[in-house]
Amino acid sequence: PALNYTLSQLEKLLDTRRTQLDTLTRRRDKIQKRLDGLNAKIAAIGGAPAGGGGGRGRGGRRGKRARNDISLQDLIHQILSKAGGAVRVGDIADKALAAGYHSNSVNFRGIVNQMLIKDKRFVAADRGLYQLKK
């Protein structure tokens, strides 16, 4: 069925849509400005800003894989070498991120724990504590 609108009705409809578009665009720009500020704060403390889109995981942070100059295993080895003794998994993860290691994982501590278990250079000194194999 054809819609029968007068020219003035169509113009009024277009004006309403333009007004809605302007309002939504301003709201989006305001929210984007806040997000940019939050991303800057996250980056300042060594975190990765949310990226990608779609995808799985919390915050839709799937997408491009983070790239690092050194493997996580080698970085963990460096951290444990400097420590000179057993270190907690959470502390190792924190030191890796503080050293500039980039990860998009929402459970980076779990990834570090897996590396500690898999790599034969590391041994469990106690529950949740790891050191270099002697």
Side-chain angles (χ1 to χ4, degrees), residues 21-110:
L21 180 61
D22 288 343
T23 301
L24 291 173
T25 301
R26 278 194 305 273
R27 282 180 56 195
R28 181 196 60 203
D29 292 345
K30 195 175 188 180
I31 292 168
Q32 185 63 53
K33 190 174 182 178
R34 289 181 61 199
L35 280 173
D36 291 344
L38 288 173
N39 280 335
K41 288 179 181 179
I42 289 169
I45 60 172
R56 293 175 267 176
R58 261 186 299 174
R61 295 194 314 188
R62 285 279 199 189
K64 279 194 147 188
R65 184 170 177 241
R67 297 287 177 197
N68 293 286
D69 295 333
I70 185 173
S71 70
L72 181 56
Q73 294 94 323
D74 289 342
L75 181 57
I76 292 171
H77 188 273
Q78 286 179 6
I79 291 167
L80 290 176
S81 294
K82 290 177 185 173
V87 182
R88 295 191 179 282
V89 176
D91 292 338
I92 296 169
D94 291 343
K95 288 178 185 204
L97 292 173
Y101 190 86
H102 299 289
S103 173
N104 293 332
S105 174
V106 294
N107 185 14
F108 182 63
R109 185 188 182 283

